[in-house]
Amino acid sequence: MSLLAFYARNAQEVLGLVAQHLYLVAVSTLLAFALGIPLGIVLTRRPAWQRPVLGLANVFQTVPSLALFGFLIPLPFIGGIGASTAIVALVLYALLPIVRNTYTGIAGVDPAVREAGRGMGMTDWQLLTQVELPLGFGVILAGVRVATVVSVGTATIAAATAWSARRRISRGQAGESDCCERVTGMG
């Protein structure tokens, strides 16, 4: 069976899996964004926290994805085979580029520009929202882009390992699949 014929025969399931993939990427990237931007901002205000926080994020980034899924499956509340485990793993992978780039973008603002804002009477909040974040936006956005790309690739592994494994076990087909099913991640 050719790959195109397989897609034509299983169009509904393929579209469902694409939707699941997009859901995993969107939710995990939004959560990583919501956690990573404030954490990166905090690191610019508390320089002593930079090494331990970025070090921990680096550790999560270096753990192979299959191993991370394996570590998360037995954990209570987030473990098991399913979307919650995949989302947690994807958020952990996406945090490093967002936190690092947020820190870099804000820390890279010229001190003279900050001083000019202070001289104009800006509060810390005004300085952050009206000077530092707009000037660091390009670098921060690059981190979000990298995190999204990482999530797209890692979500593929999550789907191939966790969700398809659950499907094969529930069908009683563990270990059985043809070439097209393996290529598409549906087997």
Side-chain angles (χ1 to χ4, degrees):
M1 172 187 333
S2 76
L3 190 58
L4 290 177
F6 178 80
Y7 277 134
R9 189 173 48 114
N10 297 297
Q12 192 69 26
E13 190 172 1
V14 168
L15 290 175
L17 291 172
V18 167
Q20 288 175 347
H21 185 86
L22 292 175
Y23 169 77
L24 283 176
V25 171
V27 170
S28 64
T29 303
L30 287 173
L31 285 173
F33 181 82
L35 293 170
I37 299 291
L39 190 56
I41 292 169
V42 167
L43 292 182
T44 63
R45 303 305 190 241
R46 306 255 190 262
W49 293 7
Q50 179 194 358
R51 270 191 178 210
V53 170
L54 289 178
L56 183 62
N58 272 315
V59 167
F60 285 128
Q61 191 78 27
T62 58
V63 173
S65 54
L66 286 174
L68 186 59
F69 291 123
F71 291 141
L72 291 175
I73 287 173
L75 293 179
F77 303 113
I78 59 168
I81 296 174
S84 62
T85 303
I87 288 170
V88 169
L90 293 174
V91 167
L92 291 175
Y93 276 117
L95 274 177
L96 177 64
I98 293 175
V99 172
R100 183 182 54 214
N101 280 35
T102 301
Y103 173 80
T104 303
I106 294 173
V109 172
D110 188 1
V113 174
R114 272 196 200 95
E115 193 59 37
R118 290 244 183 256
M120 293 172 44
M122 289 185 163
T123 64
D124 285 341
W125 178 254
Q126 289 173 326
L127 195 62
L128 175 68
T129 59
Q130 295 176 16
V131 176
E132 294 171 331
L133 285 177
L135 290 175
F137 183 72
V139 177
I140 295 168
L141 194 58
V144 173
R145 182 182 53 83
V146 169
T148 304
V149 170
V150 167
S151 292
V152 167
T154 310
T156 304
I157 296 169
T161 56
W163 287 2
S164 67
R166 180 178 63 193
R167 247 184 72 242
R168 282 196 306 265
I169 291 169
S170 68
R171 288 183 180 173
Q173 298 173 333
E176 298 176 15
S177 66
D178 69 12
C179 175
C180 291
E181 287 179 335
R182 276 181 286 201
V183 168
T184 60
M186 293 173 56

